[in-house]
Amino acid sequence: MSLTSLEQVDCSGKKVLLRVDFNVPLDKSTHAITDDTRMVKTLPTIELLLKRGAALILVSHLGRPEKKGDATLSLEKVATHLAKLLPNTKVHFSPEAVGHSVEKLAHDLKSGEILVLENIRFYKEETSKDEKERTEFAKKLCSLADIYVNDAFGAAHRAHASIYECAKILPSYAGLLLKKEIEVLEKLVTNPQRPFVAVIGGSKVSSKLAVLENLVLKADSILIGGAMAYTFLKSRLIEVGSSLVEKEYLSQAFQIIDKAAYNKHAMLLPEDHIVASEFSENAKIKTVKRAIPDGFMGMDIGPKTRDAYSRVIKNAKTVLWNGPMGVFEMKKFSQGTFAIAKAMSKVKGTTIVGGGDSIFALTQSGLEDKMTHISTGGGATLEYLEGKKLPGVEVLLRK
Ligand code: AMP
């Protein structure tokens, strides 16, 4: 089974309903777009379809709107930004995603033009648990177009109307970004070049438990950092002071370490830490060995761990990184995270980075061009690596 390539589609003079993931991060106070990576990564698909003579109707969600018409989550600003990214293309915006007004706009849309529909999650039918309701809604969306293309990898783990049902109604294809994401991840889980090293960090073991369960079977080495390291250390009865620990996950953390050892895969935990007397850059700070004294909390991996992890990474042929090694938003606790980015930039092999924080740190260090692939899907990437099927991808597979 494979994803049908967009290159084979005849879309001249046709209207294409293109599901994109323009769920971009917004500034908390001004609600302006802070990072347009997801939009930029979809441009090759958009440009290819336009070049082939299609008229594009773009569908996306933005955030998790509580109610219809939440102005801060309107896609209008995204449409305005898209027009800047495509200065030679006419980009229209429709304040409705279904109904008479959008039908008229779609009808009048010319080849080479784009119509961006309002935030699809303003409509409760999009995410409805009732399949009939989702199907009826998808039919209305599909009535605007002749072909459906999904390039929204970041939303492919959701069985929502514009992701799943639309693909069943119209002739449907995978966009270039979605196809590339799947190809990279598929290789990673089925046939990675070895040694394969996974670097996993972030705040919680709980959110990455399932992916770790799977990775301990596949990766030759797993390097653990971030606050989740303290739950793992604590599960081995190592003192962690007042570091963040998820007590209810201690036994599962313990079992994951065992599972790695049973499969003869290395699971490395920090051997030293940068600790602080409180969660602040202005607190008393020092470097300690593996056990953290009372009154201090782990904020970043220490220099020995940085070196040890960097050595393992540099010898790898495949590296997957998801999650920061410390509270990298504070400069004093950012060295561990940046050391990973630097070590990965020297790898002679495949390097894949996923997760908003890791990508942000990578961009800050100016090393993003040195990576093989930066994954746009947070939840979707993790679910794929957990071994789950993504509904938005399954529905596009051709036998
Ligand atoms: P996640 O969303 O689970 O990937 O976690 C990312 C967050 O983990 C970032 O905001 C980091 O500041 C935070 N983090 C990383 N290391 C630590 C730590 N040692 N203590 C507290 N928070 C941390």
Side-chain angles (χ1 to χ4, degrees):
M1 291 214 289
S2 65
L3 288 167
T4 307
S5 163
L6 206 53
E7 276 93 350
Q8 299 153 14
V9 188
D10 169 22
C11 53
S12 172
K14 304 238 168 87
K15 302 243 158 72
V16 175
L17 190 72
L18 176 60
R19 181 52 160 102
V20 290
D21 179 12
F22 284 177
N23 182 27
V24 286
L26 304 176
D27 184 273
K28 281 198 181 76
S29 49
T30 64
H31 310 293
I33 298 169
T34 52
D35 178 26
D36 66 357
T37 307
R38 284 181 164 176
M39 296 179 73
V40 171
K41 294 238 174 212
T42 311
L43 291 181
T45 299
I46 293 177
E47 282 164 348
L48 178 75
L49 290 167
L50 290 177
K51 206 169 85 193
R52 294 274 179 85
L56 302 186
I57 300 161
L58 264 54
V59 180
S60 179
H61 71 284
L62 179 60
R64 295 184 174 194
E66 301 278 313
K67 57 181 184 328
K68 192 178 176 191
D70 177 348
T72 60
L73 294 178
S74 169
L75 272 180
E76 192 167 8
K77 60 179 151 249
V78 172
T80 308
H81 189 68
L82 183 66
K84 283 188 200 145
L85 294 173
L86 296 166
N88 300 319
T89 305
K90 236 187 191 166
V91 179
H92 309 268
F93 172 70
S94 167
E96 299 288 344
V98 291
H100 292 308
S101 69
V102 67
E103 279 164 20
K104 164 108 181 60
L105 287 171
H107 179 267
D108 295 344
L109 196 68
K110 297 188 187 64
S111 263
E113 292 185 354
I114 296 177
L115 174 65
V116 178
L117 306 188
E118 183 52 291
N119 191 342
I120 202 68
R121 289 215 190 144
F122 281 178
Y123 299 82
K124 63 172 181 27
E125 298 92 330
E126 163 71 357
T127 56
S128 169
K129 296 225 166 10
D130 180 351
E131 193 188 327
K132 258 198 208 142
E133 205 172 35
R134 286 200 313 270
T135 304
E136 287 311 309
F137 183 62
K139 279 184 190 160
K140 288 183 197 162
L141 280 172
C142 288
S143 73
L144 305 174
D146 309 298
I147 293 172
Y148 170 81
V149 175
N150 187 358
D151 212 21
F153 175 70
H157 56 315
R158 308 281 186 211
H160 292 165
S162 69
I163 296 286
Y164 190 71
E165 272 77 19
C166 282
K168 294 207 236 168
I169 296 169
L170 288 175
S172 48
Y173 303 90
L176 303 178
L177 175 65
L178 185 130
K179 197 157 185 270
K180 166 134 196 256
E181 294 268 13
I182 293 297
E183 278 167 5
V184 170
L185 293 177
E186 195 178 7
K187 172 123 202 303
L188 195 74
V189 293
T190 54
N191 187 21
Q193 262 198 303
R194 296 187 181 275
F196 169 23
V197 176
V199 188
I200 307 292
S203 59
K204 291 181 179 157
V205 175
S206 52
S207 64
K208 293 185 185 149
L209 212 56
V211 80
L212 283 166
E213 292 265 8
N214 213 19
L215 283 174
V216 287
L217 302 175
K218 304 206 184 275
D220 301 293
S221 304
I222 299 179
L223 316 181
I224 300 288
M228 70 164 69
Y230 310 115
T231 304
F232 280 108
L233 289 170
K234 187 80 183 166
S235 80
R236 296 281 146 164
L237 302 176
I238 293 161
E239 287 310 323
V240 294
S242 48
S243 305
L244 210 66
V245 169
E246 288 181 283
K247 289 201 185 81
E248 59 283 31
Y249 290 97
L250 285 171
S251 72
Q252 288 185 63
F254 186 93
Q255 281 164 21
I256 285 179
I257 299 174
D258 264 2
K259 200 168 166 182
Y262 181 79
N263 287 285
K264 301 201 167 46
H265 291 175
M267 182 152 178
L268 273 59
L269 297 173
E271 54 189 278
D272 61 349
H273 322 268
I274 313 285
V275 298
S277 54
E278 56 181 311
F279 194 82
S280 156
E281 240 177 330
N282 304 320
K284 206 169 141 204
I285 291 165
K286 59 181 178 175
T287 302
V288 300
K289 290 195 182 141
R290 185 161 261 180
I292 299 177
D294 275 352
F296 285 89
M297 60 178 75
M299 299 291 274
D300 193 9
I301 56 174
K304 276 199 179 140
T305 310
R306 282 202 300 267
D307 288 350
Y309 284 12
S310 297
R311 266 198 307 278
V312 177
I313 290 169
K314 281 179 201 161
N315 288 325
K317 283 277 182 301
T318 305
V319 186
L320 166 73
W321 177 28
N322 187 306
M325 296 290 101
V327 187
F328 77 104
E329 298 92 336
M330 300 183 197
K331 196 160 178 275
K332 283 183 184 164
F333 312 118
S334 64
Q335 287 188 69
T337 302
F338 287 119
I340 300 297
K342 197 164 164 213
M344 280 181 75
S345 73
K346 301 203 169 117
V347 170
K348 292 185 182 62
T350 307
T351 45
I352 301 158
V353 185
D357 288 317
S358 317
I359 294 171
F360 184 70
L362 192 65
T363 316
Q364 280 196 325
S365 56
L367 295 169
E368 69 266 44
D369 291 345
K370 303 261 185 228
M371 303 297 145
T372 314
H373 183 68
I374 295 176
S375 182
T376 51
T381 309
L382 288 179
E383 287 200 14
Y384 191 91
L385 295 174
E386 284 165 21
K388 286 191 187 147
K389 302 240 182 263
L390 308 182
V393 173
E394 291 300 301
V395 73
L396 294 174
L397 291 173
R398 302 275 189 279
K399 297 220 166 71

